[in-house]
Structure formats: structure tokens, C-alpha cells
Amino acid sequence: MTIAAPPFARNAWFQALLLAFAALLVLPQGLAAQEADDERALSLQRIERTGDDRIAVDLYADGAPRAGETWMLALRFTPSAPEWHGYWANPGDAGLGMDLVLDLPEGWEAGEYLYPVPKRLLIADLMNHIYEGEYAVLVPVAVPADAVVDGIPEVTGTVEYLACTDEICVPQGAVLSAGQGSTLGRDFARWRAEIAPMLDAAATFTITDQTLRLAIPLPESVELSDPHVFIANTRLVDYAPFQSFWRDGDLLLVEVPLSDFGSGEAETIEGILSFGGEAGVRFAAAPGEVAIVGDPLVTMNSAEALTPPLWTLILGALVGGLILNIMPCVFPILSLKALSLARAGESEAEARSEGLAYTAGVVLACVALGGIMLALRAAGEQVGWAFQLQSPSVVITLLVLATVITLNFGGIFELPSIDTGNGQGRSAFGTGLVAAIAATPCTGPFMAAALGAALLLPTPLALLLFAMLGLGLALPFLAIGFVPALRKRLPRPGAWMDTFRKAMAIPMGLTALALIWLTAQLGGRGFALFALVALFGIVLALYVVGRLQKAGKMAWPAFGLVAAPFLIFGAFALPSSYAPPSRDLTASLLEPQAFSQEVLAEARASGQPVFVWFTADWCVTCKVNESVAIERESTAEAFKEAGVVAIVGDWTVRDEAITQFLTEQGVAGVPLYLWYEPGSGEPEQLPQVLTPEMLSERALRDR
């Protein structure tokens, strides 16, 4: 049976209209295909024009795929010369990530690209995430369960990327092809091993006003030589500033400053945690609460950030040592040694010899103290500058020394090694040792950064800073010895010099009294009382020596006979009476809390301003600042009005937690004053010399 077409269908006009309608239906598909072909051709032309001569790229397949499994492809990048480097997915402040397009069989899907642990490259305050040398990026491909697989399929594609040196960047691109014979078994095993593995447990993150905080589950046994977190999210964090790390058991806490140009928002955070070198893990973080607790880590990148240029550190140590000469325990020694040159006459050779010997004694003492401190830290001891004053035995030794010098200056007895009139190099050398030992417990302006950096720098550079500190301390006397014009300005010798010498016994005596008070602070009142009994025996013995010296008789054997019973008593009584008292925080107007990492973390989480100060009873600068700026009614009222949380760290007695925190802040001793703005990441480090209104004005500003 034949069905005839309707009459209108046999009409010529209708047939023409039908053909036009069919063309309209086909035209969009044809245009889309043509547009895709044109774009593909344009991309290929662009890639052919750029080439891959700086960093070559090849596509490989890891054997034949299997239906329903993940098939792995690899892009191997090979620089033509060592100076060329490529980039991670998030290149950092500059650079360009890889743009890859693969032609896969229908239904096959490429997953997230897998990268090795990148490296950091800092150029002009711009942090880049790079790869040096040959590296491979793996591309997992999901093969459908119903796929028909017959060997290795032909896979083609294009890739565009950037090749850079420290000076220039060149766009690169290549047409890719992988098929039969492209697999490299041993290379794939190595490439897989270089990829940062994914953590099984999820991380947590929270974003504050200024920082991104991460809590990454990581076994405490994993060593972190130089940790760094590479954040895959672009325009979220600031890459150049150093990152802060804490260990809390099997949890690694990280704090990273936010970028000034981003939104400061993210639904998830992904990245790579580098342990240091080529080892690391990938992580994915979900929103949650992250509190900063645990033990802080001092990392290489934080050390670099905390360490100013070497020349500024050397200058700071030199100027800091120079300032120590005005300390009451150093100025009398320096003054009398300077006047000894005037008494010794105008001999150039003798003046230079005195200057060099004194300088040698000072520098040797500073380097020795610094070397002992570095050795103790290398052995795992948490000590800082002035660590010797945290030892009761050292403080008692300094008390005896200050008392002996006071009696010598007062004319009670004569001690050749301190006698200012013999003009001998040996005397100057011994005086230099005494001056350095008496001065180095202090940490004054300009010294903090230098001594803090000495804890982070290699040992030779650290010892250089300690030597420069000693040179600064010895510089005035060295200048007097080598510059005749300065010696000519010294007063002429006369009877007044003996009066001046006795006057210099007053500041030395005040130093001895301060050390008696410090002895009580370190070991308790009973400990200080027994120390005074032993000291009385030494004073009595020196008085007897002085009387015998004035009579022209043999004096020093009498010292042993008189002092021995008192010293034996002290040797037995002092250890048994040692009982360090606890600090009475209720006596402070600011009502501070005792420092700990937990207390600081809780205070910062409160959303209130936080003021933290670190002090010690033996720190003169600390005590002056407390009387001038901290323990004031106006400061207490301003803190109360602004809701400032006050925290004090007492470093009078050795405290490993405080020492570690000081090191983290890039300082080696006290005083240290930190101000945390609400929601801030890194604290503001206030000057070491506080003015009366500095703290109250800052508190009212944050009100």
C-alpha cells in the first residue's frame, strides 16, 4: 500500500521552506563545532608559537587502563637549564599555574591534578611556589565501569604554563600525545612517591579578622625541620610573611596572615603541608573552632623573618655594649681604669697596651658567656641571655665580687688585679673580665634584636655578635688608649683621684645591695640570711687583710684563716635553706595573670586587648619601666576602662616556657612588652623603654 503525499507537500514553495527550516536546525550545531575547531586551532597556533624550549613537557600513561578503575597520566616537565623553574597550582604572589586540556574518550573524566611538594622562592618580598629541576604532575582519570578498553587509548591535549628564572619569564606550551609504548614503569613509581599523600583525617580552619588558623591532624612523632603550609585557595592569605606553628599533641596548629586583597572567606581550605625539604602531606580543612594552644615551634622561615640584616645586628650589638658602660656596676670600673692612664703618664705604648688588654678581657668574657649559652641550648636547655642570674650560686658569686670591688674602691684593702695604679696589661685584662661579667646580665636598647638573632643564627655568626657586644663595652677605654687627644682631656693626676675612687665605691655598693635583694628573691629570706653570714666572713677577712697591708705585714694568709669558717658554714647552710618564693601578683595594680601559653590563648580568644610583659627582679630596665609606666594608677584605670587583659611572665627564676616564648619572639632576654589587638595575629612589640603615658594611651585607643 502506497501512501500519497498531500498536495501541499508536492508544492515547490513548501519544499524550499522545509529545506530552510532544516538548515536552521543544523546551523547552531555547525557553528558550535566550527567555533570549537577555530578555538582549538587558535590554541594550537599559540602553543606552536610559544613552544617548550625552556621547560619541555611530555605526557605519559601508566600502563593500560581498566574499566571502573582510576588510570594515571603524568606530565613530566624538564627544564633546559637549572635556572628555569615551574609553578605549583597556586603560584603565589607571581607566576602562573598550569592550564591543561585533555581529549579523553567519552565518559572518561580527569580528576584533581596531583603535585609534589613545592618550594618557596622569595624575590623582593614576593613569595612564589615553584619547582626546580625535573618534576612530574599526575592526572588521575576515572574510567567508566562499562568502558571497552583495548590497550592504551590514544590521548591528546594541550598544556600552557610558565617558565621563569629569577629575572625573566617565558610563556610555554605544547601539544600532548600519549599512546601505545608511552608507559614508564619505574618513573611512575618515583613520581607517585614524590606526590604529597592525602591525610586520612580532615583538618579544621577558622578565619579571624587578620589571620587564617588551621588545625592539622599530624602525629607528634613527625619531625618538622622547616614546616610551611602552601594554601591552594588563591587570594586568601598573604604568602610572604612567616607562618606561626604550635604543637599540641597529635595536632599541628598554624596561623597565617590574610591577604589584604582577598575576601577573607572560604568554604573549604586545601593545601600542602611541607615538613621541610621534599616531604609533606596534602590536607583538606572544613570550618570549625581553632584555638592557639600547645608549644610554639621556631622555624627557619620565622627565624629569617625575625632576623634583620647582619650589619644592623652587628651595629645593634656594638651600640648596646657601648650603652652598658653607664650601668652603675660598670661605670666605676671604666672611670678608674681611664684615670689610671692619666696616672701612668703619656706613654703611647703603655696606653695602647692597656686598651688592648682591657678589650681582650671584655670580649673574651662576652664570647665565653655567649658560647656557654649556645652550648646549653644545643644540649636542649631552654636558657637565654642573663641565664647566669637565674642561678643562685652565680648571683652569690657576683655578690661577693661586687662587695670585694666596693671594699677595694673604698680603700679597705688593696687588690693588685683591681688596683688602678699599676698600669700593667695583666691588670687591665682582669679588669675587662670583671667589667664584662658585671655588665652582661643587662639587656638594654639595641641589644634585644642582636642577642635574639644570636639564638637563631649559625654559631660562628652568633659568636660574632657576642664579640661585637664586648667590643662596644670596651670601646670607650680602647678609644682612650689609642687617641692621645682623649687622654689629654683627662684630669691631671692628684690627690682628688683617691677621693674619686672612694666615691665610685658608692654605686658598686648599691650594686651589692641589689644583689642581696636578688638573692632573697631567688632563694627566699632564709637563703639570703645565710648568704649574708658567709659574706660577713669575707668582709671581715678583707678588713683584716687591709689592716695588715697598712702595717706592712704579710696579709693574705690571714684571709684564709678568718674567712674559712664562714665559707664552710655557707657551703652547708645555703643548699638546705634554698626555697624560691612565688611571685605575689596581687601586689600589681594591673591585676595580671601569670603567663602560660594556655592563659595567653584564652585571653586572645576573649576579643579583648591583651598586654603581656616579661620581667625579672634582676633586670634594672624592667624595674624602671614598671615604676614609670606599668604600675601607675592612670595605666590601671585605662586598662580597666578598655577591658585590657594583663599577663606577666616572671623570668627571675629559670622558666623554660618563658624562655621558649622569648626565643619565638626573636629576643634573648627581658624586658619584652607585647600588645595584642583584638582578633590580631602577630603582636606589636613595644619599645624596651616605656614612657609614662604609652600604655594608657594605647589602651584608650583600642577602647
Side-chain angles (χ1 to χ4, degrees), residues 313-323 450 465 468-469 471-473 475:
L313 297 175
I314 291 176
L315 183 61
L318 188 68
V319 175
L322 186 62
I323 293 176
L465 293 182
M468 295 307 296
L469 174 67
L471 179 60
L473 180 58
L475 197 57

Side-chain angles (χ1 to χ4, degrees), residues 622-632 635 690-693:
C622 302
K623 294 308 170 185
V624 171
N625 284 332
E626 288 170 17
S627 62
V628 170
I630 298 177
E631 299 296 345
R632 292 171 57 91
T635 303
L690 301 178
T691 60
E693 305 301 329

Side-chain angles (χ1 to χ4, degrees), residues 115-135:
Y115 287 84
V117 178
K119 298 179 180 178
R120 288 165 283 162
L121 175 64
L122 187 62
I123 301 178
D125 294 330
L126 297 179
M127 177 72 77
N128 301 324
H129 308 148
I130 69 165
Y131 296 104
E132 296 175 325
E134 179 185 311
Y135 67 98

Side-chain angles (χ1 to χ4, degrees), residues 92-112:
D93 288 317
L96 187 67
M98 178 182 68
D99 184 12
L100 174 65
V101 178
L102 290 176
D103 293 327
L104 298 170
E106 185 176 355
W108 297 30
E109 294 186 0
E112 180 184 356

